[in-house]
Amino acid sequence: MTYLQFHFYFIVPPLILLAAGRPWRKVDGRALRFLLLLALIAFLYATPWDNYLVWRGAWAYDPDRVAGVVGYVPMEEYLFFILQPLLTGCWLYHLMGREGRAHVKQAVPGFGNRVRIAGALSYATAAVAGAFCLTRPEGTYLGLILVWAAPILAAQWAYAGHRIFTYRRTALLGVAIPTLYLSVADAIAIRAGIWRISDAHSFGLELFGLPIEEAVFFLVTNILVVQGLILFIAPPARVRGRVDA
């Protein structure tokens, strides 16, 4: 199985299935634009980071399983930077559409600040943990994941974590299902030899055959997508020029 075939077997079919129902139409008139914008942001943000990962040797690919390489990364990897947010985003829109057209729910006065601070501090702690991992060779991959993703997650919560918390049930399912699905697909790809994780730059811990670093990667990237779309769809409400708390 090649990397391109991996996309056609595991990523494209569920994406087509979800997109066929045009779930964004039941969410917001701007939802499709938000999804495409987020996919572009993901591509731009992930490109230099993933090139650095390969350059550092955190993961590698079989050159016989890819169509070509740009920089240090296979072309199919760049495609994945776009396909994953589209897949996760369509799934989130499907969930939101089942609840009816998205609407901005009111936050409890005084509760928003506590939620924002708690969430931001939690993700900031994860970023610090990532920096600590980078002090050890075997912590390279996990550390680079956390210091790349956690600051953005912390900023999202510092800005409007109370808005995300309002949609916590939808967000939880929106993250959990794509993370589980992509983790299983990734484990199959690793066993097929399409790519491999460096033993020297990972802790060697596995979840059902999947390196823990890969599971964390899918978790944080899906959280980034879900939280980003929720903040696009339901930003902090402004009433009489004041942001809700």
Side-chain angles (χ1 to χ4, degrees):
M1 181 169 61
T2 66
Y3 198 162
L4 188 59
Q5 288 174 325
F6 170 82
H7 285 326
F8 281 108
Y9 292 158
F10 293 102
I11 310 301
V12 174
L15 176 57
I16 291 177
L17 183 64
L18 288 169
R22 293 187 287 182
W24 49 84
R25 297 184 64 184
K26 298 180 180 180
V27 175
D28 186 281
R30 303 160 298 170
L32 179 58
R33 281 178 287 171
F34 290 152
L35 179 58
L36 296 177
L37 175 60
L38 190 65
L40 175 61
I41 293 172
F43 175 84
L44 295 175
Y45 190 56
T47 290
W49 173 77
D50 205 31
N51 273 270
Y52 181 71
L53 279 177
V54 177
W55 178 77
R56 282 289 301 270
W59 74 277
Y61 56 88
D62 183 344
D64 295 328
R65 307 288 186 96
V66 300
V69 177
V70 177
Y72 294 94
V73 175
M75 290 188 293
E76 295 91 339
E77 182 81 351
Y78 294 107
L79 182 59
F80 183 74
F81 298 158
I82 298 174
L83 292 178
Q84 183 192 354
L86 292 179
L87 177 62
T88 301
C90 284
W91 169 246
L92 176 67
Y93 284 166
H94 170 72
L95 295 175
M96 297 178 77
R98 291 176 58 186
E99 298 179 355
R101 201 166 179 82
H103 59 282
V104 177
K105 303 174 183 179
Q106 295 299 317
V108 178
F111 181 67
N113 287 332
R114 294 194 295 271
V115 170
R116 287 201 302 267
I117 292 172
L121 287 177
S122 297
Y123 284 122
T125 300
V128 172
F132 176 76
C133 287
L134 290 176
T135 64
R136 306 173 59 182
E138 64 271 24
T140 299
Y141 191 12
L142 182 59
L144 288 173
I145 292 172
L146 293 177
V147 299
W148 170 75
I152 304 301
L153 295 171
Q156 288 177 331
W157 274 78
Y159 169 62
H162 59 304
R163 211 30 100 211
I164 300 168
F165 187 78
T166 300
Y167 293 89
R168 58 191 177 277
R169 293 180 181 175
T170 300
L172 179 61
L173 194 56
V175 169
I177 299 303
T179 298
L180 178 60
Y181 177 75
L182 291 173
S183 294
V184 171
D186 188 75
I188 294 173
I190 291 175
R191 282 198 290 271
I194 301 175
W195 56 77
R196 61 187 180 276
I197 308 303
S198 168
D199 293 333
H201 296 301
S202 61
F203 286 108
L205 302 175
E206 294 186 350
L207 290 172
F208 305 103
L210 181 71
I212 189 69
E213 291 84 358
E214 290 288 89
V216 172
F217 168 76
F218 289 120
L219 176 63
V220 299
T221 51
N222 284 321
I223 293 175
L224 283 168
V225 171
V226 167
Q227 292 188 171
L229 286 176
I230 288 176
L231 292 181
F232 275 141
I233 296 297
R238 294 179 179 272
V239 180
R240 296 180 182 177
R242 301 179 63 180
V243 179
D244 61 357

